[in-house]
Amino acid sequence: MILKTAPVAALAVASALAMLTALPARAQETQQTPASSDAARDALARKEGEGDQTELLKETLTAVDKQYSLIRKGRSQFTYDLTYTYIGQERIVTDYTADGLTLFDIENTNSHTITNTLSADYGVLNNLTANVTFPVISKYTDSTKHSGLSNSLGDINVGARWQPLEARRDRPNFTVTGNVRLPSGRSPFKVIAGSGEATGSGVTAVTAGLNVNRIVDPVALFGSLNMTVSAAANGLHQLNGTRVLTRVKPGTSVGFGIGFAYALSYGISTTLSFQEAISAGSKLRFEDGLEVKTSTQTSAIVNLGLGYRVSPKTTVNLSVGIGLTNDSPNLSVGLNLPLAF
């Protein structure tokens, strides 16, 4: 009996030893599982220098409209914007006679405008930022009667942004804005037909506004309200049909906008916004004493944007705008790029 059971006992002992030997290996495998989970989390987590979603939202909000952002006292910031705008329309060419309005022709006009804008911001105080923008405009217009190309400086803008209350994460942030547009571009009231295209408004204008935004990570909500008052263009001598235009007084304009930015990740964000402006009719005066007033204009546009962080300090923003009314551009495409020196 002993000779028969000895091999069984030896086999049991060998099996036990094999199990004991296997325990460390299984324990090691069990320890490796959390390590794999940690590696996955590390791979998904943001790396040092990437910033966070809040900073990305602030940069995207600034790209949508610089009126929402301020910089620290004594610091400077430069931004380059490239914008393409297309307008296609049927324009009714008319003339005013003693008997009233006379229809002459319906003219198809296509306008392509490329605007290069350099913006400079300076922190006067921590809650007060001054800024100036220099646009250079290339405009090509093609119509059934003539075509023209103009390259010149556009209207320079000088303004300031003031934050009356300290910015806090748990409440909306308000910014009061003021801006003066100087008629440095080529005036549309002084352009002679066939000699080029206008690249400016032709009048000085003052704009005051209020902007509000709140960041609720990963979303930033924003809205704006503004009003623009323009000075009159006097001393004109522009042939308009059979009459000579001598004075133009643009109407007051009121605008508003709403939108949001959403951070998809630590490097990509999207924006959606709506903007509308309602402008009262302009008053025109002709050399023979005739005075007329144009109709009210309404411009509305929807903007879609994408922000991509190419480095910890640089975010490139692309946007596409679609016009919703006859008084709006049909299409606009924009690129915003912060410049660091």
Side-chain angles (χ1 to χ4, degrees):
M1 293 295 293
I2 295 176
L3 294 175
K4 291 181 179 180
T5 56
V8 175
L11 181 61
V13 173
S15 299
L17 291 174
M19 292 178 63
L20 291 173
T21 305
L23 284 176
R26 292 181 181 177
Q28 186 176 1
E29 292 176 0
T30 305
Q31 294 174 357
Q32 289 176 349
T33 302
S36 299
S37 299
D38 292 341
R41 283 194 294 268
D42 290 340
L44 293 175
R46 65 184 178 91
K47 300 297 185 294
E48 183 179 358
E50 282 187 344
D52 54 28
Q53 290 178 329
T54 300
E55 290 300 321
L56 179 63
L57 288 172
K58 289 180 180 179
E59 293 176 4
T60 303
L61 195 60
T62 300
V64 172
D65 191 338
K66 291 187 68 63
Q67 308 300 321
Y68 293 101
S69 67
L70 297 176
I71 59 177
R72 291 291 181 181
K73 178 181 178 180
R75 293 188 178 181
S76 300
Q77 180 176 306
F78 301 89
T79 307
Y80 170 72
D81 290 276
L82 174 64
T83 306
Y84 163 77
T85 304
Y86 167 74
I87 299 176
Q89 61 182 359
E90 289 185 342
R91 184 173 61 181
I92 300 176
V93 181
T94 59
D95 190 17
Y96 295 93
T97 65
D99 298 328
L101 186 65
T102 303
L103 175 65
F104 281 89
D105 194 8
I106 297 179
E107 183 178 346
N108 294 316
T109 303
N110 296 312
S111 174
H112 304 267
T113 304
I114 296 177
T115 305
N116 296 271
T117 304
L118 179 63
S119 303
D121 295 79
Y122 178 75
V124 181
L125 301 172
N126 287 338
N127 66 337
L128 178 63
T129 297
N131 69 286
V132 59
T133 61
F134 299 91
V136 178
I137 298 176
S138 297
K139 185 175 182 180
Y140 173 74
T141 300
D142 182 23
S143 67
T144 54
K145 291 187 175 181
H146 72 278
S147 297
L149 173 65
S150 293
N151 301 282
S152 72
L153 181 69
D155 288 345
I156 296 175
N157 287 266
V158 180
R161 306 187 294 275
W162 174 56
Q163 197 170 64
L165 301 175
E166 182 181 359
R168 291 179 54 180
R169 184 180 178 86
D170 58 347
R171 70 183 182 192
N173 300 311
F174 296 90
T175 306
V176 179
T177 65
N179 183 75
V180 178
R181 184 186 67 204
L182 305 176
S184 53
R186 193 174 189 187
S187 173
F189 311 121
K190 297 182 179 180
V191 171
I192 301 175
S195 65
E197 301 299 322
T199 58
S201 62
V203 295
T204 301
V206 177
T207 301
L210 176 66
N211 300 283
V212 58
N213 73 87
R214 182 172 183 180
I215 296 180
V216 185
D217 199 358
V219 176
L221 305 175
F222 55 90
S224 64
L225 180 65
N226 61 77
M227 182 175 69
T228 301
V229 179
S230 300
N234 297 303
L236 306 178
H237 192 81
Q238 183 186 48
L239 183 63
N240 193 310
T242 59
R243 296 180 181 274
V244 177
L245 182 66
T246 59
R247 185 179 189 272
V248 176
K249 177 62 175 72
T252 300
S253 175
V254 176
F256 68 91
I258 55 175
F260 71 89
Y262 178 71
L264 297 175
S265 68
Y266 295 109
I268 297 179
S269 63
T270 60
T271 58
L272 174 64
S273 64
F274 169 78
Q275 293 177 318
E276 182 173 347
I278 302 173
S279 302
S282 300
K283 296 180 181 180
L284 311 179
R285 180 185 298 169
F286 295 89
E287 193 175 43
D288 59 0
L290 177 66
E291 293 187 2
V292 296
K293 185 177 181 179
T294 62
S295 60
T296 300
Q297 292 186 324
T298 300
S299 174
I301 189 169
V302 169
N303 293 286
L304 305 174
L306 175 67
Y308 177 63
R309 187 189 294 272
V310 296
S311 73
K313 295 183 178 181
T314 304
T315 299
V316 177
N317 294 275
L318 301 172
S319 64
V320 176
I322 302 173
L324 303 179
T325 65
N326 293 331
D327 301 321
S328 309
N330 297 67
L331 173 69
S332 64
V333 181
L335 168 68
N336 175 276
L337 179 64
L339 301 178
F341 297 96

